[in-house]
Amino acid sequence: MADVIGSALKRHEDIRLIRGKGQYTDDMKIPGMVYASMVRSPYAHARIVAVDTAEARRVPGVQAVFTGRDLKDEVGMVPTAWIPPDSDMKMTPHPALAYDFVRYAGDAVAVVIADTPYIAQDAADLVRVEYDAMPAVTNPRDAAKEGAPLVHEDIAGNVAFHWKAGVSVDEVFNKAEVVVRHEFRQQRLVPSAMEPRAAVAQWNAATDELTVWVTTQNPHIHRLLMSGMLGIPEHKLRVVAIDVGGAFGSKIACYPDEVVVSWAARKLNRPVKWTETRSENFTVTTHGRDHVEEVEVAGTKDGHIQAIRVKAYANLGAYLSTAAPGVPTILFGLIVNGAYAIPHASAEVFGMLTHTTPVDAYRGAGRPEATFLVERMVDLYSEAVGMDPLAVRKINLIPADAFPYTNPFTLQYDSGNYQGALAKALEMVDYQQFRKEQDNLRKQGKYVGIGFSTYVEMCGLGPSEVAGAVGFQGGLWESATVRVHPTGKVTVFTGASPHGQGEETTFAQIVAQELGLPPEDIEVVHGDTAKIAMGWGTYGSRTTVVGGAAIHMADQKVIEKARKIAAHKLEVGEDDVAFEQGLFSVKGLPARTVTFQEAALDAYLAWSLPKGMEPALEGTAFYNPENFTYPFGTHIAMVSVDPETGDIELMRYVAVDDVGIVINPMLVEGQIHGGLVQGIGQALYEGAEYDDQGQLLTGSFLDYAMPKARFFPKFETAHTVTPSPHNPLGVKGVGETGAIASTPAIVNAVMDALAPFGIHDLPMPLTPRKVWQAIAAKGGTH
Amino acid sequence: MEDSRVVPVTLTVNGKAIAREVEPRTLLVHFLRDDAGLTGTHVGCDTSQCGVCTVLLNGEAVKSCTVLAVQADGADVLTIEGMEEEILHPVQQGFWEKHGLQCGFCTPGAMLTASYLLSTHPHPSEQEIRESLDGLLCRCTGYETIVRSVQRAQEIMDERRESADRETRAI
Amino acid sequence: MYTAPFDYRRAHDTQEVVTWLQEDPDNTKIIAGGHSLLPLMKLRLASVARLVDISQVAELQGIREDMGGLRIGAFTRHAQLAKDPAVREAAPLLASAAAVIGDMQVRNRGTIGGSLCHADPAADLPAALLALNAELVIAGPGTERRESLDAFFLAPFITTLAADEVLTAIVVPRMVPGAKSTYLKRPHPASGYPVIGVAAWVSVSGGRVEDCRIALTGIGPVPFRAARSEQVLTGRAFSREAIAEAAREAAGSGTLEDDEDGYKSQLCQVYVSRALGDIAQGAG
C-alpha cells in the first residue's frame, strides 16, 4: 500500500457537501420551532431611555418580546476569556441584551420571537426604543486622548489594558547608526465567512437539558462559557456544530445572540432559531486587525538590524470579545522581530475601547499585524541605508544552524531553514532579470515592482502551560479517541472542530497510515459535545498540529493493545511482533500473521485475550504540545502600477511555504490559496470604515470589497519541508500562513513600483485612488 | 382584482411539482429551503452580491434571494439536490477532484453557476471562467481551485460526450 | 432578510398596469426583473404596498425592427440584449454594455426598462443608450408618449416618468455604416457598478469624424453626454491629438460627484481617451 500521508486524497466531507447535504445550523428545522429577530441600536453610543414593546407584541404570530431588563438578572455577562498578564486588564461588562447603554451600532437591546422569521422581523421593526444619543469615538488613538467619550464609564482613558514585553532597547537606539521610524495603520477587516452566524436552541423539560446548534469553531469552549452565563451545568448542556460555513476567527467568540436564544428556548419551552443577516454580520460579528502602530528599527549603516521597538494602539471595539485581548498582545507583540535575528526588541500595546464592533481573531490573529510591520520596516530600513531589500533580508534572516532559536521575547522557534525557502523562491523568480526589466520599463513610463515577505509565524496553539502563563483562560491541548469497531472499521472522535479545512480527510489519512487501513474505513466525528468528551476547537492553525498529534497518540495506544492480542494469538512475545501496513507478523517469520481486523474482532469477542486484558479496542489520548510550531517561507509579489489611474495589477505571486510534513498536499495548497486571497485582500481591497458617529460605512458587500476571482493571477506555490522536531507528526500549521505572509509582500511590491515617485508608504487598502493621489501629490507622471 | 395575503404558486423543483400558497414576499430561496425542504441552497447576503443562493430557473443561473417565489410561478427550478443523476454531475465531480470547495457553503451556488457557464460556453478560457464568477463570493478557496474544478468539469463533459458518441456508433 | 408585506398583482397588458398604478400611484411599484427593487425592499429602504409584476405583459417583450431602428421591449433582460443577434448587429454598443452589467446571474434577471426607470446613477445601460440617441416609449392613462433619453434622467433615482406611467419600449437607431462604438467600464471592486462607464460612438469618413456621441455614467449624479468632447472631435481628423483634446473636455461636460481631489476628472479623461483610442485602433 502506498503512503496515505502525503497523498492528495479527495475529501471525505465533499461527498455530502457537493450534493447539498451539508448540515449547517440554519438548515435545522424542529417541529414547533419559533424564530428570533434582534432589535439593534442604530447609535454607536447612547443611553437607553425606554423600550416600548407593546406594538410588537400585538403582531399576530409574535410569541414573545424580551428586553435587556428581562434578561438582566437571569443571564450572566458575556465573558472575556483571555487576560494578558501584568496588563492591568479591566473587564468590560457585556450584557447579552443592553439595558442601560448601547456602546456600538448593532448592540442588541431586545429580541422578538415569532412563528416565522418574516413576522419576527416585522415585529422587531415595531419595537420602539428611545435613545439619548451620546458622542462616540472610533479610532484607537483618538480614544486615548484627553476628553474622549468613554466607552465604559469606569474605564479611564478607554484603556482596557496596557501590556509590555521585552526589555528596554533605548540604549541600542541611542547608539545606533541608523534609526528608521514609521507609523502604520493596520486597517480593520470584516472576516466575512460566507455563512452568517446562526443558533438553534432546544430545551428538554423532561431532562432539564439544553441543546444548542451553533456556528462555532469551538463547541466545548462555547459549552463552558454558556454554562456559566445560563447557569446550566455542562453535563446538561450540549453544543453542536456539524457543518460550519467558514469562520476565519469570527466564530470563536461566544456571542450574545446564541445566549439569548438559549435562554429564550428554556423560557418559552420552544425550540428557537436565530439566523444572522449579512447586514448584521457586518455590524455584530467580530472584526479583525485595526491597529495604529509606531515602529522603530535601529541598525548599522551596512544592513544589520539591531533592534525593533513597537508601540501599538489596538482597537478592541466596545467590549472585550472572547479571545480579543490575546490577539494584539501574545499573538502579536511576541513575534515582532519576525524571521530576523534582531537581538533587541520590545513591544508595548494599549488595548483600546471604542464605540465600534468588537474586534477579535481574524485569520492570522496578531501575526499578520506583526509580520506586516517587520516586513515593511525591513524595506524602509533597506531604503534608508541604500541597500537592496533582498540583500538586507539575507544578512538578517536567522541562520539555519541557529535552531531552536530563542527570540528576544523568549519564544523558541522550533526549526527552520529560511535561506532554503528563499533560495527556492528565487529559483522561481529571476530577481536580477526583473530589476533589469524594471529599469527599462521605468524609462518608458511604466512602473513595476517586486516585494518580498520572508516570514515566520507561531501557530499550533499550543502548550497549555504557556496558555496559562499568557492568561488564556483555557487549555490548549487536544483530545482524540480512536475507536476500532469489531470489523476493524474506525470512528475517530476529535476535540478539534474543523469547518472547511478538511480534517475529516486529513485525520483519516493519519489513521489509515498508522493502522494500515483504507481511508474509507475511517470516519471522523467532530463538533458535538455529546459525542466528544472535551476539546478546544479549531483556530490558530492548531487542528492538524495538535488534534492530529492527539490522534497519532491514540493510534499508538490502539496498536500497542492490538499487538498484545496478536502476540497472544501468534503465541509469541509482544516484542517479537512487527506491525506494518495493517498486518502483525512474527519477526523473521513473515508468513505467520494476524490482520489488524482479526485483532480487532478478538478484542471484542474477548474469548481469548491475554490474561488481565480488558475487552474492546480503542485508544484515547490527550496531547499537550511542548511548543508552538513555526512555519515560515518566502513570498514574492510582482505588480505593475498604472500611474494614470492608480490601478495595481498583480502580475505574479510566488509562495514558498514550509509547513513541515505535508499530510495532504491538495488541502495544504487550498489553505495557502485561501490565505493569500485574504492577505492580498487586506493589501489591496478590504477595509472597514466608520464615520465620526460610529456608523459603519462599509456595511455590505456593495461597499466592502471582498476579493473576487477576476482579481487574481494563478498562484505559484512550492514547499520546502523542515519537520517540526517536537510534533510527533512533524507537521506545522498551514491555515494562516497565506494571510500572514502576503499582505506585506504586496505592499512592498507596490512601494517598489512607486519608488521613482518618491512614495515610500501608503495606508492599506492600496486603492487606485490613494495610489493616484499619492502620485499626483508628488507632481504626477511628468 | 382583489389583493390577497397569500397567492398560489406551483414550481417544478428538480423535476417535481410543488404547489403551495405563499405570501407574495416569500423569496424563492426561502420557498426552496422552507417549503420544499431543500436546504442545499444557502443564503449568504441580503444585497444580491454573494451568489451562494444561485439556482437554475428555467435553465438560467439566477440568485434565488432576489426572485420572489411568485415571480417563479410555473417555472422549472434546478437546485444542488437535483444536479446528480445516476452519477455525479461533471461539475460536482470536477469540484470534488480539484478541491473546489472548503467549507462548502458557497459551493451549491458555485456549482450551479459553473454548470450554467458550461451550458452556454462549453469551452471557456480561464479568464472567462474567472469573469463568470463575478457573481460568486467564496472566502475559502481563493478561487483558483474553483477555476480548476470548472476546467475539470468541462473535460469530464467532453469525455462523457465522446464516450456517449462511441456507444452510439457501436450500436 | 425579509421584505415588509405587500400585495402582488400580475398584469397582462400595459393598460392594466397603468390602471393599477393610477389606483394608488404613491404606494404601487412595478416589478420587472426585481434586481434593483427587491434588495432595497429587503433592507426595508423601500416600502411598497403593492407590486405589479409586468413579466407577463406581451407588449413589453421582444425586440423588433422599428423605423430604421430597433424597438426593444422594456422587459428585455440584459442577457438577452447581450446575445440577441439583431441587437449585436444594429446596436453593438448596447449589447456590449449589457454584457458587462453586474454579473451573470444579475444579467439573467435584470431588464433594460427596470434599469432605466430605477435611474441609479451608477448603471451601465444609460451611457450606451445616450450614446445611441435612444428614445423611450412611455404609456400613461390612455396615452403614449415618446421621449428622448437625454431628457429622462432628472436626478439620482428620479426620472420624468410619472407615477402612473410605464416605460414600454426603448427605440434605438440602427448603427450607420462606418460608425464604430465601444463601452469601456471600470467596475467598482465590490458592487460591480461602474465607477465610470464610457460609451463612445464615432462615425468616421475619410479619416475625419463625421459625427460622434460620447456618454458617461457612474461618475456623476446623472449620466451625461460629453458634449464638449463631442464638439472637439466632430469634423476633426480622428488623431491621437484630437482624442487627447476631446478627453480633456470630458469632465467639464457634466457634473461629477466626489471629485475634490480631481480623481474623477482624471478618470473621465483617461477613460474617454481609452475608449476613443480603442475605436481608433479598430477595437471598438
Side-chain angles (χ1 to χ4, degrees):
Chain A
M1 194 166 70
D3 276 344
V4 188
I5 286 186
S7 74
L9 219 63
K10 292 202 295 287
R11 297 203 319 171
H12 181 73
E13 37 278 80
D14 292 359
I15 294 168
R16 64 176 184 279
L17 298 177
I18 57 173
R19 291 184 165 96
K21 307 263 184 249
Q23 287 285 301
Y24 300 91
T25 303
D26 187 47
D27 298 341
M28 287 289 303
K29 213 166 188 182
I30 303 173
M33 191 159 81
V34 287
Y35 299 82
S37 181
M38 298 290 168
V39 178
R40 300 190 182 278
S41 169
Y43 296 100
H45 191 199
R47 191 172 63 83
I48 300 170
V49 179
V51 184
D52 179 359
T53 62
E55 202 180 339
R57 283 175 203 276
R58 282 196 295 270
V59 175
V62 168
Q63 295 295 331
V65 184
F66 298 115
T67 69
R69 301 228 164 261
D70 297 317
L71 272 72
K72 190 170 178 282
D73 299 324
E74 297 188 27
V75 177
M77 294 288 170
V78 181
T80 305
W82 203 328
I83 305 168
D86 307 319
S87 69
D88 192 24
M89 191 179 105
K90 320 282 193 303
M91 284 295 179
T92 53
H94 185 186
L97 292 177
Y99 49 80
D100 52 358
F101 292 95
V102 287
R103 297 185 171 88
Y104 71 100
D107 218 348
V109 296
V111 59
V112 174
I113 294 166
D115 292 345
T116 73
Y118 286 72
I119 297 170
Q121 196 186 334
D122 293 344
D125 288 352
L126 299 174
V127 172
R128 309 284 176 217
V129 186
E130 190 188 329
Y131 296 99
D132 180 6
M134 297 163 75
V137 63
T138 63
N139 175 288
R141 206 158 41 183
D142 292 347
K145 287 180 186 158
E146 182 91 27
L150 291 182
V151 182
H152 295 265
E153 277 176 320
D154 53 349
I155 300 179
N158 291 314
V159 179
F161 59 78
H162 180 202
W163 176 89
K164 289 180 187 177
V167 291
S168 170
V169 294
D170 295 354
E171 201 172 332
V172 186
F173 273 90
N174 292 339
K175 291 181 180 165
E177 290 173 0
V178 181
V179 173
V180 180
R181 295 193 171 84
H182 202 76
E183 184 178 308
F184 295 103
R185 182 81 170 96
Q186 264 286 330
Q187 83 271 36
R188 177 180 286 238
L189 302 177
V190 183
S192 304
M194 290 319 299
E195 178 201 33
R197 291 184 300 116
V200 175
Q202 183 176 32
W203 177 249
N204 184 331
T207 60
D208 278 356
E209 283 174 311
L210 183 78
T211 303
V212 186
W213 292 263
V214 61
T215 47
T216 176
Q217 302 175 227
N218 27 250
H220 292 88
I221 293 180
H222 257 80
R223 183 180 64 172
L224 184 61
L225 298 178
M226 288 178 65
S227 167
M229 273 177 280
L230 294 164
I232 298 172
E234 275 180 282
H235 65 290
K236 294 287 193 185
L237 182 54
R238 177 184 176 196
V239 176
V240 190
I242 304 172
D243 286 313
V244 175
F248 314 106
S250 72
K251 293 169 182 169
I252 294 173
C254 187
Y255 288 90
D257 316 286
E258 49 245 33
V259 179
V260 169
V261 294
S262 297
W263 174 84
R266 182 167 60 169
K267 193 91 181 164
L268 300 173
N269 197 18
R270 295 277 297 269
V272 183
K273 181 197 277 192
W274 171 79
T275 305
E276 185 182 58
T277 65
R278 178 58 58 184
S279 302
E280 287 180 297
N281 183 272
F282 269 98
T283 50
V284 179
T285 294
T286 55
H287 293 172
R289 317 278 192 260
D290 205 345
H291 293 185
V292 175
E293 296 158 350
E294 296 165 11
V295 190
E296 296 163 285
V297 154
T300 64
K301 282 189 278 196
D302 61 354
H304 290 82
I305 304 174
Q306 297 163 307
I308 184 164
R309 181 161 57 192
V310 176
K311 184 173 169 185
Y313 296 82
N315 192 346
L316 300 165
Y319 303 99
L320 295 175
S321 174
T322 305
V327 173
T329 53
I330 315 305
L331 298 175
F332 163 77
L334 298 184
I335 196 162
V336 292
N337 62 298
Y340 306 102
I342 303 174
H344 308 284
S346 74
E348 178 180 13
V349 180
F350 293 89
M352 300 306 304
L353 299 167
T354 62
H355 297 98
T356 61
T357 302
V359 176
D360 204 317
Y362 170 57
R363 202 168 194 165
R367 291 145 293 155
E369 297 91 315
T371 305
F372 182 83
L373 69 83
V374 68
E375 289 300 317
R376 288 287 299 125
M377 285 307 282
V378 168
D379 272 36
L380 292 173
Y381 166 75
S382 301
E383 199 183 311
V385 296
M387 290 177 69
D388 185 294
L390 176 59
V392 171
R393 282 182 167 79
K394 285 179 174 170
I395 292 171
N396 291 284
L397 281 175
I398 297 164
D401 60 9
F403 291 93
Y405 172 81
T406 304
N407 90 342
F409 301 100
T410 73
L411 289 179
Q412 197 182 76
Y413 294 7
D414 57 351
S415 63
N417 180 358
Y418 302 168
Q419 290 74 14
L422 177 59
K424 185 144 195 172
L426 290 172
E427 283 169 21
M428 298 161 75
V429 173
D430 188 337
Y431 184 61
Q432 297 312 324
Q433 182 62 28
F434 185 91
R435 288 293 182 203
K436 265 186 227 156
E437 282 169 20
Q438 182 181 46
D439 266 351
N440 288 334
L441 288 168
R442 279 178 183 169
K443 286 172 196 147
Q444 303 165 36
K446 291 179 179 160
Y447 300 91
V448 296
I450 188 164
F452 290 88
S453 174
T454 44
Y455 76 99
V456 64
E457 67 122 337
M458 58 185 291
C459 65
L461 312 182
S464 300
E465 299 79 358
V466 177
V470 300
F472 180 67
Q473 305 298 299
L476 283 171
W477 49 268
E478 202 43 86
S479 75
T481 293
V482 173
R483 179 171 300 158
V484 185
H485 302 289
T487 55
K489 311 277 193 229
V490 174
T491 307
V492 179
F493 299 87
T494 174
S497 196
H499 42 276
Q501 296 85 349
E503 272 90 0
E504 289 178 33
T505 307
T506 318
F507 285 176
Q509 284 179 265
I510 295 170
V511 176
Q513 176 82 41
E514 296 186 339
L515 301 186
L517 301 173
E520 55 272 21
D521 282 1
I522 298 150
E523 187 77 16
V524 176
V525 174
H526 59 81
D528 185 344
T529 62
K531 293 179 181 168
I532 296 116
M534 188 56 199
W536 293 98
T538 285
Y539 42 82
S541 300
R542 68 187 303 273
T543 304
T544 303
V545 175
V546 190
I551 289 167
H552 164 81
M553 287 173 59
D555 279 347
Q556 304 317 307
K557 293 183 179 180
V558 167
I559 294 168
E560 198 184 330
K561 184 169 180 180
R563 188 194 304 274
K564 288 194 173 98
I565 295 169
H568 181 68
K569 200 172 177 98
L570 293 163
E571 298 176 322
V572 295
E574 209 184 311
D575 295 343
D576 294 324
V577 175
F579 180 59
E580 212 174 331
Q581 300 195 350
L583 211 58
F584 294 99
S585 64
V586 179
K587 287 176 185 167
L589 292 170
R592 294 192 58 206
T593 60
V594 171
T595 66
F596 180 80
Q597 287 84 351
E598 287 169 331
L601 186 61
D602 280 6
Y604 280 93
L605 294 176
W607 292 341
S608 171
L609 289 176
K611 201 168 172 58
M613 180 182 276
E614 293 174 6
L617 185 58
E618 72 173 55
T620 292
F622 303 90
Y623 173 73
N624 191 21
E626 277 173 36
N627 190 1
F628 302 100
T629 66
Y630 292 83
F632 59 90
T634 294
H635 287 208
I636 305 178
M638 281 155 275
V639 302
S640 69
V641 178
D642 179 345
E644 284 194 325
T645 58
D647 283 336
I648 295 164
E649 187 199 348
L650 180 54
M651 300 188 296
R652 280 182 74 190
Y653 196 93
V654 170
V656 176
D657 295 285
D658 191 320
V659 297
I661 301 291
V662 169
I663 293 177
N664 186 322
M666 184 167 78
L667 272 56
V668 162
E669 191 191 24
Q671 286 299 307
I672 289 167
H673 282 184
L676 289 182
V677 162
Q678 287 179 342
I680 299 169
Q682 173 170 18
L684 298 180
Y685 307 109
E686 299 180 40
E689 285 172 38
Y690 285 95
D691 70 9
D692 292 342
Q693 280 78 48
Q695 295 297 321
L696 183 64
L697 299 172
T698 51
S700 84
F701 288 146
L702 287 162
D703 311 295
Y704 186 86
M706 284 273 279
K708 294 179 183 172
R710 72 155 78 197
F711 298 174
F712 302 95
K714 268 199 183 82
F715 297 124
E716 301 166 55
T717 59
H719 295 285
T720 56
V721 178
T722 309
S724 168
H726 60 84
N727 181 286
L729 296 166
V731 298
K732 297 185 176 189
V734 65
E736 298 163 292
T737 58
I740 290 167
S742 57
T743 314
I746 297 286
V747 178
N748 282 341
V750 175
M751 294 312 138
D752 183 49
L754 295 176
F757 298 101
I759 295 165
H760 310 288
D761 192 43
L762 291 171
M764 295 186 292
L766 302 176
T767 59
R769 189 170 195 156
K770 271 185 217 166
V771 171
W772 179 84
Q773 282 172 344
I775 293 172
K778 295 283 184 181
T781 53
H782 306 296
Chain B
M1 179 171 165
E2 283 297 298
D3 293 323
S4 59
R5 302 300 303 169
V6 291
V7 287
V9 295
T10 303
L11 275 73
T12 305
V13 183
N14 302 329
K16 207 172 111 190
I18 300 179
R20 293 280 189 284
E21 300 232 307
V22 301
E23 269 193 274
R25 62 171 164 165
T26 306
L27 298 170
L28 176 58
V29 67
H30 294 138
F31 181 91
L32 295 170
R33 290 178 57 82
D34 301 333
D35 293 285
L38 298 169
T39 55
T41 306
H42 301 142
V43 181
C45 76
D46 31 42
T47 52
S48 202
Q49 300 301 119
C50 79
V52 310
C53 64
T54 299
V55 300
L56 300 191
L57 184 68
N58 292 329
E60 293 184 331
V62 304
K63 292 173 180 170
S64 63
C65 75
T66 313
V67 178
L68 298 169
V70 284
Q71 289 180 290
D73 189 19
D76 263 320
V77 178
L78 185 80
T79 73
I80 176 69
E81 290 91 343
M83 267 191 117
E84 184 179 8
E85 293 178 348
E86 280 161 26
I87 50 172
L88 287 176
H89 186 283
V91 169
Q92 291 174 308
Q93 185 71 28
F95 271 68
W96 194 19
E97 288 180 18
K98 295 295 175 190
H99 193 31
L101 61 149
Q102 290 182 25
C103 81
F105 196 76
C106 79
T107 310
M111 292 198 302
L112 285 153
T113 303
S115 80
Y116 174 71
L117 171 73
L118 293 174
S119 74
T120 50
H121 294 80
H123 295 96
S125 67
E126 173 172 349
Q127 192 55 32
E128 284 171 325
I129 296 172
R130 287 186 183 266
E131 286 169 10
S132 79
L133 297 171
D134 274 352
L136 182 90
L137 295 177
C138 167
R139 196 56 152 167
C140 294
T141 62
Y143 301 105
E144 187 164 326
T145 56
I146 294 183
V147 172
R148 290 181 202 164
S149 300
V150 178
Q151 289 168 332
R152 178 68 191 125
Q154 177 227 301
E155 283 171 15
I156 296 168
M157 282 180 177
D158 288 349
E159 285 162 17
R160 289 188 188 172
R161 222 172 278 137
E162 277 169 36
S163 84
D165 285 352
R166 268 197 305 278
E167 279 170 34
T168 315
R169 278 199 298 275
I171 298 163
Chain C
M1 282 212 132
Y2 310 96
T3 78
F6 54 83
D7 294 318
Y8 171 87
R9 291 181 179 190
R10 192 177 290 146
H12 295 87
D13 62 59
T14 305
Q15 273 317 305
E16 197 172 32
V17 178
V18 172
T19 307
W20 287 345
L21 287 173
Q22 276 183 294
E23 282 177 17
D24 187 5
D26 293 338
N27 298 305
T28 305
K29 273 267 184 192
I30 290 173
I31 185 164
H35 273 49
S36 302
L37 184 59
L38 284 176
L40 292 178
M41 289 173 68
K42 280 161 68 181
L43 297 170
R44 303 203 174 194
L45 297 173
S47 79
V48 177
R50 181 197 290 164
L51 275 189
V52 175
D53 184 340
I54 57 169
S55 64
Q56 306 299 311
V57 180
E59 299 154 76
L60 304 180
Q61 320 254 357
I63 297 163
R64 59 181 164 82
E65 292 284 332
D66 175 272
M67 298 187 295
L70 285 183
R71 185 186 196 279
I72 299 165
F75 196 79
T76 306
R77 299 194 197 271
H78 305 318
Q80 282 169 274
L81 286 178
K83 71 177 182 211
D84 185 87
V87 177
R88 292 170 70 127
E89 192 255 314
L93 178 57
L94 179 57
S96 58
V100 294
I101 293 172
D103 54 56
M104 204 164 67
Q105 296 96 311
V106 167
R107 294 193 290 273
N108 278 338
R109 290 298 292 175
T111 65
I112 183 171
S115 171
L116 293 177
C117 296
H118 184 58
D120 190 320
D124 291 287
L125 292 182
L129 291 167
L130 282 173
L132 287 169
N133 251 349
E135 205 175 44
L136 307 178
V137 184
I138 294 166
T143 63
E144 183 178 280
R145 65 183 178 97
R146 288 202 173 207
E147 178 168 338
S148 164
L149 189 66
D150 276 322
F152 186 62
F153 299 112
L154 299 176
F157 307 102
I158 298 174
T159 67
T160 62
L161 201 70
D164 56 1
E165 287 185 318
V166 54
L167 173 67
T168 57
I170 296 89
V171 178
V172 179
R174 172 172 283 278
M175 197 77 168
V176 298
K180 284 182 173 172
S181 63
T182 193
Y183 180 66
L184 187 66
K185 172 180 182 174
R186 178 182 181 82
H188 185 276
S191 68
Y193 285 117
V195 174
I196 181 169
V198 174
W201 179 100
V202 184
S203 166
V204 182
S205 176
R208 290 194 178 276
V209 176
E210 260 189 347
D211 194 5
C212 71
R213 289 191 293 272
I214 301 164
L216 276 62
T217 187
I219 197 113
V222 289
F224 62 88
R225 286 268 294 273
R228 287 161 60 169
S229 304
E230 293 172 2
Q231 279 158 20
V232 167
L233 218 51
T234 308
R236 288 268 295 272
F238 198 26
S239 64
R240 191 177 294 190
E241 293 70 31
I243 289 173
E245 203 183 313
R248 278 197 294 277
E249 295 299 321
S253 300
T255 307
L256 307 190
E257 266 188 343
D258 184 28
D259 189 38
E260 298 72 25
D261 57 355
Y263 185 60
K264 294 295 179 73
S265 297
Q266 168 76 4
L267 288 181
C268 288
Q269 181 175 341
V270 171
Y271 274 73
V272 168
S273 165
R274 289 180 184 178
L276 292 171
D278 285 350
I279 291 176
Q281 283 165 23

